[in-house]
Amino acid sequence: MRHALLMAAALYGCGGSTLAPADARPASLAEPETRPLASAAMREIATLERARSAGDGALARWADDPDPKVRRAAVRALGRLQTADLDVIAGALADPEAEVRSEAAFALGQHPDAILAPLIARLAKESDVSVRHALVQAMGKRATAADLPALLAAARDDDTDTRAAARAGVGLLARRADGKLDGLDAPTLAAWLTDAAPGARAGAAYALMRSRALDGDDVLATASACATDPDLEVRVHCVHALDRFGARALEALARAAKDPHWRVRVQAARALAKTEADEDLAAMIQAAADDLAAGHLDPAGSALHPALTALDAALERPDPAPFVAAATAMAAAAAPRAALDV
């Protein structure tokens, strides 16, 4: 009976991918590395950065240069080098230019030895929205459990991007804390997920997904509800969150297995694979086989990943009988493609 499963697996290969919230430099700060250097100082900063050298204090001095472009480049270089000049980088949080302050926040977020006190202090007085966003992103990267109150406060910020960054930061902190954070509770997550802004809800969904220690019925209800959210990123993270509930989440997972987007269906298949829901997994394989046969599905496209994930699960089952018909149909749908490839 495994022959059909193995044939389908061999024809297509199996796998999928989970996409998590990007952790990237603010868009306003992204510049091509090849941009023309405007001055001798800029050229020297670039040379030192390539050499992985702080230049015996030269970068720190340039971080106080009259030209804001030079200051920004020096702070960026110090952050990339991850030198011991944390005081210099932290000092740049008070720079009169917003772009320099944002660069300093980003640099501290990347630095393994950074502490949150300067970031939190600057956030309390910062008025520029883009800088507040950068500060909160950095806090999320470096926060410890003791810093959770600062992130929770930022999660209520008036600015949508700042709220989103704070909530995603709570998720990053929960990940580092193995899923348990004292001070984060189910009602808080549920309230965040009612936010009108999709980005803020996505940050909340990521925090929900990472807070694996929260596994009560109230959290299950929250995850089940947001698994039908109109925003794709919210649904992906919420269905991923359902994974920890096992058979208790079967109803919501069966619904997610029919989601219009393949990324949501992949998460549903992965979660269902940890249960005994063979019928739902077989249905995912059969649906893909039908779409392939009708020409509605690209055999090399990402939309096939949910069926392949289900097929992976079928191959691990001690009894593959429930999957044979669907796998046979999938293999048959693959045959014309295989013949063309020959």
Side-chain angles (χ1 to χ4, degrees):
M1 283 190 286
R2 292 185 180 275
H3 177 72
L5 275 67
L6 292 170
M7 179 180 293
L11 283 165
Y12 288 105
C14 293
S17 63
T18 302
L19 304 180
D23 186 16
R25 169 184 301 278
S28 62
L29 302 183
E31 292 185 355
E33 294 298 324
T34 57
R35 69 178 178 83
L37 297 173
S39 67
M42 298 286 276
R43 288 193 294 272
E44 184 61 24
I45 289 170
T47 298
L48 289 172
E49 188 177 338
R50 286 194 296 270
R52 306 292 298 169
S53 169
D56 293 325
L59 288 179
R61 290 191 296 275
W62 276 317
D64 196 34
D65 192 89
D67 187 339
K69 292 182 179 178
V70 173
R71 296 198 303 274
R72 178 181 169 190
V75 170
R76 179 170 58 218
L78 287 169
R80 288 176 174 173
L81 294 177
Q82 297 187 351
T83 67
D85 297 293
L86 280 171
D87 289 344
V88 175
I89 300 174
L93 292 173
D95 193 279
E97 294 293 327
E99 288 191 345
V100 179
R101 298 198 299 277
S102 289
E103 194 70 64
F106 182 81
L108 288 173
Q110 299 298 102
H111 203 297
D113 298 325
I115 57 175
L116 260 67
L119 295 166
I120 295 172
R122 183 64 213 180
L123 184 63
K125 62 183 74 171
E126 182 60 60
S127 59
D128 187 279
V129 171
S130 64
V131 180
R132 291 181 64 81
H133 183 210
L135 288 165
V136 172
Q137 276 193 321
M139 288 164 57
K141 295 172 187 174
R142 293 299 164 199
T144 65
D147 303 310
L148 178 61
L151 282 175
L152 292 177
R156 299 189 297 270
D157 197 90
D158 290 338
D159 176 62
T160 296
D161 290 341
T162 301
R163 290 199 307 278
R167 295 169 187 184
V170 170
L172 291 172
L173 176 55
R175 183 182 185 183
R176 294 192 293 272
D178 293 326
K180 180 169 178 56
L181 289 176
D182 292 333
L184 179 64
D185 55 29
T188 297
L189 290 169
W192 288 354
L193 284 160
T194 65
D195 200 298
R201 293 200 308 278
Y206 182 73
L208 171 65
M209 183 264 287
R210 289 299 182 191
S211 302
R212 298 189 65 83
L214 295 175
D215 58 0
D217 288 343
D218 51 352
V219 182
L220 171 58
T222 296
S224 298
C226 67
T228 63
D229 192 275
D231 183 75
L232 171 61
E233 296 303 322
V234 176
R235 297 201 309 278
V236 168
H237 293 315
C238 287
V239 174
H240 194 169
L242 289 170
D243 176 281
R244 63 179 173 264
F245 296 99
R248 294 162 61 197
L250 279 180
E251 182 179 348
L253 290 172
R255 203 166 46 238
K258 300 175 184 177
D259 191 273
H261 202 283
W262 67 269
R263 286 179 56 201
V264 179
R265 298 198 305 274
V266 163
Q267 293 300 333
R270 289 176 176 171
L272 287 168
K274 299 178 182 178
T275 71
E276 297 180 358
D278 291 353
E279 183 177 341
D280 292 307
L281 290 167
M284 296 181 77
I285 300 172
Q286 184 63 56
D290 293 343
D291 285 342
L292 283 166
H296 298 156
L297 193 62
D298 180 1
S302 298
L304 195 61
H305 286 188
L308 298 179
T309 303
L311 187 59
D312 275 334
L315 289 167
E316 296 297 321
R317 293 294 205 251
D319 178 12
F323 303 95
V324 170
T328 301
M330 193 169 177
R337 167 84 182 199
L340 287 174
D341 288 344
V342 174

